[in-house]
Amino acid sequence: MCRLCQQRMLYNRGGSRRDFLKGAVAVAGVAATGLNLFAPRPAAAESANQANAPEDSGRSGRRYVIRGGAVMSMDPAVGDFPVADVLVEGKKILAVGPNLHAGGADEIDARGRIVMPGFIDTHHHQFETALRSFLADGVLINDGSGSPSGSTTYFEYILQKFAPVYRPQDVYINELFGALSQLDDGVTTVHDVSQIHHTPQHSDAAIQALLDSGRRSAFGYFEGAGNNPPNYAYPQDAVRIKRQWFASSDQLVSMIMGGEVYLGAPTYQQSWTIGRDLGLQIAAHILSPFGIRPILDDLAQGRGGVGPNGQSPGSLRVGPDNLFIHMTGMSDLGWQAVHDAGAQVSIAFPIEMNMRHGMPPILKMQSLGMEPSLSVDVECTMTADFFTQMRVCMNLQRVLVNQMILDQGQPPNPVDWGLPAGAAANPWPTPPASLPPLLTTRDVLRYATINGAKALRLDRKTGSLTPGKEADIIILDATRLNVAPLNQVPGAVVSLMDRSNVETVIVAGKVRKWKGQLLDADLNRLRRQLEESRDYLFATAGVPQDLFSKQ
């Protein structure tokens, strides 16, 4: 019997998952075997709710109909319905509308529920799941203040202390648990920005976890944070990863090339060039710190990277294949280039506000006729709950615009609101034409769904309940104590709901959460593995574990 088969048999008979992962990752090419060696074991027994879930959902030719819900399609051509049905066959949506004929298809009763597309998270560092809440009071970079916020910081602790000690098995369980947690929250798609690619084995473990989660994912191949070993392979390993894992464009997990400009012109030129040669989207954090503003200005003028003699300026420029994360503190020149190129922007509102990334640039985007997608960023500081992302986005924009309206007729405030020059500089008898409109609940729902799909170049597959697209659907319970009675669907979702309202989650036609319970995942077992990983990370990084830290 081969070594891999022996390992698989031991694992299935209840051997140590930690020992199994160590052995499996050590075997060259293990992740390429397609044996799904890392797959979580299913729950020990099905509950009554699980037993009632549609059988073989997502399988080719298998039909079921979601019947009688309030359907919010997020597609203007399809529309919204107070009461309607969604017919699914295999992984695709066949039809949306009232009183659909479905033959002998299984039925999911959605009366009293809201049926809508799943949420899409365009920037999430899932490898940090075991570090949840550790940096709840921290900011991005040490500011020398000696304060709790200014001293325990993301750059020093998460990237410089914790990240370098991750093993492939730590990457795997962090990625998997974080993905399942967001599935439970109704987030059906993620762009996983894990700066943990110290070795090819770390990369393979991350990809395998994304596959095993059953969630639609864009694997972001970024650098390894901190000191890296001799077999560090970023960015050139992108060629192998693309060939080995992403040869097909018709799969649940896709690939994005990470190209951080703060790593220096030679490095980001190499990563951007490799990404473009492979036909990949190229993502980068673009924000106020780290001296990024002049780099984006160079890219805006086609002078990014290095020239033929190895010196700057080069000839790289912003393109339609770019996904820029945050975009705080950038110049008008940089913004105009992003707008003109059709590049995508992902805003992480709560994190940017809490960790000193700079003002979330929602007003700037509105002034340019642009819209963002939404992202959660890091769970070491804030929740990955997408209801929180939508509410904070809406609240931040509205407090800014509302204050500008209240300031009319008063001496102007010396604040850069992110609007065109002079638009907010004078007292107003009435709000000026250039003042952005207040965001509505439907606006932020668009940011959280179809805009996310566009940002990840997945809008032909997902982001709306459109016949022909893949069935990434969430069913939200509007009969619960925190929502009933239902009076307005977008308002109920954004202003009232939380993860307790996420009743059923479907990805590519397959039911992944049913009647409030995730399927095919032994969460107690996975939680213990995550806790073991956390204990290892803290001990190896030399960071004390203190549940009531006064840092």
Side-chain angles (χ1 to χ4, degrees):
M1 183 180 293
C2 73
R3 182 179 177 187
L4 291 178
C5 297
Q6 288 174 327
Q7 287 175 327
R8 185 174 179 127
M9 286 182 67
L10 287 170
Y11 173 58
N12 288 338
R13 291 175 182 172
S16 165
R17 185 179 181 89
R18 173 179 287 184
D19 292 340
F20 168 78
L21 287 172
K22 287 180 180 177
V25 172
V27 178
V30 64
T33 63
L35 296 177
N36 204 21
L37 294 173
F38 294 91
R41 300 200 319 189
E46 288 186 341
S47 68
N49 278 344
Q50 285 178 294
N52 293 329
E55 294 182 359
D56 299 325
S57 58
R59 180 174 55 81
S60 178
R62 186 72 170 85
R63 283 192 177 196
Y64 59 87
V65 61
I66 302 169
R67 184 79 76 185
V71 177
M72 183 166 53
S73 73
M74 303 309 299
D75 181 343
V78 173
D80 301 325
F81 304 89
V83 180
D85 312 324
V86 179
L87 179 60
V88 177
E89 180 176 285
K91 63 182 181 179
K92 297 288 185 70
I93 298 170
L94 282 189
V96 178
N99 303 312
L100 294 180
H101 177 69
D106 282 352
E107 292 196 1
I108 296 176
D109 185 359
R111 289 174 297 176
R113 275 69 180 164
I114 294 167
V115 182
M116 63 172 287
F119 303 126
I120 298 175
D121 177 0
T122 55
H123 157 229
H124 188 173
H125 300 263
Q126 289 189 163
F127 82 95
E128 298 169 9
T129 304
L131 307 178
R132 283 172 166 171
S133 76
F134 169 77
L135 204 71
D137 299 319
V139 293
L140 190 63
I141 303 171
N142 195 309
D143 61 10
S145 67
S147 66
S149 293
S151 300
T152 306
T153 65
Y154 184 82
F155 183 75
E156 289 177 296
Y157 276 79
I158 307 301
L159 297 186
Q160 297 298 312
K161 291 181 182 291
F162 284 113
V165 303
Y166 271 71
R167 304 160 297 177
Q169 57 263 42
D170 298 308
V171 174
Y172 177 83
I173 188 59
N174 278 260
E175 293 276 2
L176 179 60
F177 201 91
L180 293 176
S181 173
Q182 271 202 310
L183 262 181
D184 182 68
D185 188 53
V187 184
T188 53
T189 302
V190 70
H191 172 210
D192 176 45
V193 183
S194 288
Q195 293 157 307
I196 199 65
H197 299 283
H198 304 308
T199 69
Q201 289 75 28
H202 286 75
S203 300
D204 290 347
I207 297 166
Q208 189 67 62
L210 296 177
L211 292 167
D212 289 348
S213 75
R215 184 160 68 137
R216 193 178 304 279
S217 306
F219 164 71
Y221 180 51
F222 283 70
E223 76 282 4
N227 297 324
N228 286 295
N231 58 336
Y232 181 57
Y234 176 85
Q236 64 272 15
D237 196 39
V239 178
R240 174 198 66 88
I241 290 171
K242 176 71 162 57
R243 181 182 65 249
Q244 179 173 321
W245 294 98
F246 304 106
S248 170
S249 61
D250 186 26
Q251 58 188 53
L252 208 56
V253 182
S254 56
M255 181 177 180
I256 290 176
M257 187 72 194
E260 301 289 27
V261 299
Y262 57 73
L263 295 177
T267 300
Y268 83 75
Q269 176 167 293
Q270 185 182 11
S271 61
W272 284 41
T273 300
I274 290 172
R276 284 175 172 166
D277 287 346
L278 294 174
L280 299 175
Q281 195 172 12
I282 300 162
H285 292 82
I286 304 292
L287 65 162
S288 298
F290 303 113
I292 292 176
R293 179 170 173 156
I295 300 174
L296 184 63
D297 286 348
D298 284 342
L299 288 162
Q301 300 172 83
R303 299 186 303 165
V306 295
N309 60 357
Q311 303 296 318
S312 297
S315 58
L316 284 183
R317 64 175 59 249
V318 175
D321 55 356
N322 283 126
L323 168 61
F324 291 140
I325 299 161
H326 302 306
M327 276 295 292
T328 57
M330 294 301 109
S331 70
D332 289 344
L333 175 66
W335 270 108
Q336 196 62 50
V338 169
H339 171 273
D340 294 348
Q344 297 291 329
V345 175
S346 171
I347 302 183
F349 284 85
I351 288 296
E352 291 159 10
M353 294 164 63
N354 275 269
M355 295 182 69
R356 202 177 295 161
H357 290 58
M359 177 66 75
I362 182 62
L363 298 187
K364 172 63 76 174
M365 294 195 74
Q366 287 185 287
S367 75
L368 291 169
M370 301 171 67
E371 291 189 343
S373 62
L374 302 182
S375 62
V376 305
D377 203 345
V378 294
E379 289 188 79
C380 60
T381 300
M382 291 287 287
T383 178
D385 166 60
F386 235 63
F387 299 97
T388 297
Q389 312 309 316
M390 292 187 291
R391 277 194 279 271
V392 173
C393 167
M394 184 171 171
N395 293 163
L396 181 277
Q397 192 269 358
R398 289 175 73 99
V399 74
L400 293 176
V401 175
N402 284 337
Q403 189 60 49
M404 285 189 282
I405 292 174
L406 291 172
D407 284 345
Q408 60 183 321
Q410 302 297 323
N413 292 325
V415 176
D416 177 9
W417 298 104
L419 292 171
N426 300 308
W428 310 324
T430 57
S434 59
L435 188 65
L438 292 170
L439 287 185
T440 67
T441 51
R442 188 174 287 274
D443 289 332
V444 295
L445 281 164
R446 187 170 60 252
Y447 297 176
T449 55
I450 188 62
N451 281 19
K454 291 175 181 176
L456 302 180
R457 303 202 292 195
L458 293 172
D459 49 308
R460 286 183 294 178
K461 286 189 175 184
T462 189
S464 64
L465 303 187
T466 303
K469 286 191 178 184
E470 297 190 12
D472 291 1
I473 302 171
I474 56 177
I475 302 176
L476 307 175
D477 187 355
T479 69
R480 294 181 68 92
L481 198 61
N482 63 326
V483 176
L486 179 62
N487 293 309
Q488 201 244 44
V489 169
V493 176
V494 175
S495 299
L496 299 177
M497 287 188 170
D498 56 42
R499 80 166 54 225
S500 69
N501 299 100
V502 181
E503 185 176 85
T504 296
V505 178
I506 300 166
V507 180
K510 184 174 178 61
V511 177
R512 297 306 321 281
K513 182 180 182 180
W514 175 252
K515 302 297 185 183
Q517 183 175 352
L518 284 175
L519 303 182
D520 303 321
D522 186 343
L523 295 182
N524 288 331
R525 188 167 183 269
L526 295 175
R527 186 183 301 109
R528 288 193 298 270
Q529 293 162 11
L530 184 68
E531 289 168 349
E532 291 172 2
S533 175
R534 175 204 59 194
D535 294 345
Y536 168 83
L537 294 172
F538 273 84
T540 309
V543 178
Q545 288 181 269
D546 182 355
L547 289 180
F548 297 96
S549 174
K550 294 182 176 61
Q551 293 176 335

